[in-house]
Amino acid sequence: MASRRTARRLAADAGLLVVAAAFVLPLAWVILSALDPHANLRVKAPDGLTLDNFDAILTPEITFTPLLNSLILCGGATLLTVVCAALAAYPLSRFRSRFNRPFLLTVLFATSLPITAIMVPVYALFVQVDLIDTMQGTIFFFAASQLPFAIWLMKNFMDGVPKELEEAAWTDGASAFQSLLRIVLPLMGPGVSVVTVFSFVMMWGNFFVPFMLLLTPDQMPASVSINDFFGNRGMVAYGQLAAFSIVYSTPVILLYVLIARRLGGGFALGGAVKG
């Protein structure tokens, strides 16, 4: 019996090691190739440590301008998504209606729609309303595409805030909007952080939407400009590509680090409605 348990444990450990290797090896390739003057597709120790790959990409045309475009697009769309999701989730969480469940099911269905299936009519619509090749139009579409799942997440987090706290604020003369801003949102800080990080990450790595809606090269975000490292006839600057990938990933990592405490803080509402 003991030998059978040991065999199962070893099999489970081996499976976990395989899964871990599947995640670690691509990351190892990115880090090692960024420092390798002769990088290729193999995961190997660098022939010699160099920062030439970073020197080659740290220019306004290759990195700084696309990163700034990405920050404008994703930051603006994330802010718009979080604000609209909070305003939409509040009545769904606090007021009971026979339309709540159908609406939530519709929202859940909207999260399963592939972007590629709706890009042709969206492109035609943007041409008609003169939003094609504009940053604001891309921001609107980014926010609209992330809003269904953001509403679903925000509503579930908002359900965890006791309504009695709002009723106390209403007794003191606060409006529903004031109770949302001063009571509900501060108490569901971890939930707002989750929606913010999820929305930003999904937009940050999106290639297809800005590639279709933006035409001017100076407006392209980093998720599109990374395609420039893939040259003609299969030639790829692997070292520069790896270095750009590290720089490109830095804003997402910094965002997560900045709000990691709030993500793990949870809802400290255990005694909030007692007494």
Side-chain angles (χ1 to χ4, degrees), residues 84-271:
C84 293
L87 294 177
Y90 183 74
L92 293 173
S93 175
R94 289 301 186 257
F95 304 106
R96 297 292 175 260
S97 170
R98 62 179 180 178
F99 299 108
N100 280 14
R101 181 175 175 81
F103 180 80
L104 286 174
L105 291 177
T106 303
V107 166
L108 185 61
F109 170 75
T111 62
S112 63
L113 291 176
I115 294 293
T116 53
I118 61 176
M119 279 309 299
V120 172
V122 166
Y123 185 89
L125 174 64
F126 273 42
V127 171
Q128 293 293 325
V129 298
D130 201 23
L131 283 178
I132 200 70
D133 195 28
T134 61
M135 299 288 279
Q136 62 268 26
T138 308
I139 288 174
F140 290 151
F141 184 75
F142 263 147
S145 62
Q146 293 300 321
L147 196 56
F149 195 69
I151 293 174
W152 185 271
L153 276 180
M154 193 77 75
K155 190 262 181 189
N156 289 333
F157 283 114
M158 202 170 287
D159 288 342
V161 179
K163 190 176 181 180
E164 290 80 1
L165 298 176
E166 289 184 86
E167 292 174 347
W170 295 340
T171 302
D172 294 334
S175 64
F177 185 71
Q178 289 174 329
S179 66
L180 171 64
L181 290 180
R182 299 180 182 181
I183 304 297
V184 178
L185 291 180
L187 290 176
M188 56 174 291
V192 176
S193 300
V194 168
V195 175
T196 301
V197 172
F198 177 83
S199 301
F200 187 86
V201 170
M202 294 299 292
M203 298 172 192
W204 188 260
N206 194 302
F207 168 84
F208 190 65
V209 171
F211 180 75
M212 291 291 296
L213 299 182
L214 295 175
L215 307 177
T216 305
D218 292 340
Q219 292 184 338
M220 292 296 178
S223 59
V224 178
S225 66
I226 196 174
N227 189 53
D228 295 339
F229 293 100
F230 297 87
N232 296 326
R233 300 181 180 178
M235 299 297 295
V236 182
Y238 291 108
Q240 296 179 21
L241 175 61
F244 185 85
S245 299
I246 292 177
V247 176
Y248 176 51
S249 304
T250 301
V252 176
I253 297 174
L254 290 178
L255 176 64
Y256 177 77
V257 170
L258 288 175
I259 66 175
R261 293 182 180 180
R262 304 200 72 179
L263 287 173
F267 294 99
L269 300 176

Side-chain angles (χ1 to χ4, degrees), residues 7-145:
R8 290 179 179 176
R9 188 181 307 165
L10 291 175
D13 292 342
L16 290 176
L17 287 175
V18 171
V19 174
F23 284 93
V24 170
L25 287 178
L27 296 177
W29 179 87
V30 170
I31 295 174
L32 295 176
S33 297
L35 302 174
D36 191 349
H38 306 292
N40 52 37
L41 283 176
R42 294 168 50 196
V43 179
K44 62 182 181 67
D47 296 336
L49 297 180
T50 180
L51 296 178
D52 290 344
N53 293 322
F54 289 96
D55 291 337
I57 67 161
L58 293 179
T59 63
E61 296 80 9
I62 298 177
T63 299
F64 298 136
T65 299
L67 280 180
L68 179 60
N69 293 336
S70 292
L71 290 173
I72 294 174
L73 287 174
C74 300
T78 299
L79 178 62
L80 185 60
T81 299
V82 172
V83 171
C84 293
L87 294 177
Y90 183 74
L92 293 173
S93 175
R94 289 301 186 257
F95 304 106
R96 297 292 175 260
S97 170
R98 62 179 180 178
F99 299 108
N100 280 14
R101 181 175 175 81
F103 180 80
L104 286 174
L105 291 177
T106 303
V107 166
L108 185 61
F109 170 75
T111 62
S112 63
L113 291 176
I115 294 293
T116 53
I118 61 176
M119 279 309 299
V120 172
V122 166
Y123 185 89
L125 174 64
F126 273 42
V127 171
Q128 293 293 325
V129 298
D130 201 23
L131 283 178
I132 200 70
D133 195 28
T134 61
M135 299 288 279
Q136 62 268 26
T138 308
I139 288 174
F140 290 151
F141 184 75
F142 263 147
S145 62

